[in-house]
Amino acid sequence: MTMSNKFGSLVLTTGNKSEMATGYSTLYGDMAGGFSVIKDVPKMLVYALSRDRNDRADGVVIPETVLEKPPSAELRPDQKDSDSLPDYEVLDPIIEGYVEDDLSIAELAAAGHDADTVRHVARLVDRNEYKRRQAPPGVRVSPKAFGKDRRLPITNRWPG
């Protein structure tokens, strides 16, 4: 942000849709900036796009170590996102169903997702609206993005 202020450039953030949905984007970390390029892109698609970018380049643009390292918010030593979140291969389809397709917890469970996992993810999505309200604007690439497409009250007593 200091460089942005000094040179008048725009800081791009790195929080993706999976992290924004579950609250794994940090307000003063990967949400700090003026525009969120991958705000509506699920984590697994971010990896696929990164690998595709490397395949199209005349050399490595995104180091393979970045793509092979287990996802982590890096808020404490040896922390991995999978310590408290389902693997992104499981998480991303649940978020897509819950957020974009407006499926209920029961409908997602009936579609084959573990009911406890779906409840956990839905709770995270609903509880982290306050963070998403503080996020910078970003590109919309899905049928329904966070923001004007899907807004919840930032506080309520309804357990859902």
Side-chain angles (χ1 to χ4, degrees), residues 2-9:
T2 300
M3 300 296 280
S4 171
N5 289 335
K6 183 174 181 175
F7 298 109
S9 55

Side-chain angles (χ1 to χ4, degrees), residues 69-135:
K69 175 175 113 34
S72 172
E74 298 177 350
L75 299 175
R76 60 184 180 274
D78 300 320
Q79 176 192 19
K80 295 186 294 288
D81 290 358
S82 61
D83 295 342
S84 53
L85 285 178
D87 289 333
Y88 286 101
E89 293 88 354
V90 173
L91 179 66
D92 285 354
I94 294 172
I95 292 170
E96 180 180 350
Y98 189 64
V99 173
E100 296 174 23
D101 300 332
D102 291 319
L103 298 177
S104 68
I105 293 168
E107 289 170 320
L108 286 163
H113 298 285
D114 176 72
D116 289 336
T117 302
V118 172
R119 275 191 291 279
H120 174 64
V121 171
R123 196 169 26 257
L124 288 172
V125 171
D126 293 346
R127 286 185 178 169
N128 284 287
E129 181 71 14
Y130 78 98
K131 271 188 167 181
R132 291 188 293 273
R133 295 276 183 102
Q134 299 177 67

Side-chain angles (χ1 to χ4, degrees), residues 8-123:
S9 55
L10 182 65
V11 175
L12 302 179
T13 68
T14 60
N16 60 66
K17 189 168 194 167
S18 306
E19 295 166 349
M20 296 292 244
T22 58
Y24 270 62
S25 282
T26 55
L27 291 172
Y28 304 107
D30 48 6
M31 286 176 64
F35 192 72
S36 185
V37 180
I38 58 174
K39 176 181 190 171
D40 194 36
V41 181
K43 183 82 159 194
M44 295 309 300
L45 184 53
V46 170
Y47 278 101
L49 290 169
S50 299
R51 286 190 172 90
D52 181 69
R53 177 65 182 103
N54 277 351
D55 291 345
R56 294 170 186 260
D58 289 335
V60 176
V61 176
I62 301 163
E64 198 59 36
T65 55
V66 170
L67 300 175
E68 292 174 358
K69 175 175 113 34
S72 172
E74 298 177 350
L75 299 175
R76 60 184 180 274
D78 300 320
Q79 176 192 19
K80 295 186 294 288
D81 290 358
S82 61
D83 295 342
S84 53
L85 285 178
D87 289 333
Y88 286 101
E89 293 88 354
V90 173
L91 179 66
D92 285 354
I94 294 172
I95 292 170
E96 180 180 350
Y98 189 64
V99 173
E100 296 174 23
D101 300 332
D102 291 319
L103 298 177
S104 68
I105 293 168
E107 289 170 320
L108 286 163
H113 298 285
D114 176 72
D116 289 336
T117 302
V118 172
R119 275 191 291 279
H120 174 64
V121 171
R123 196 169 26 257

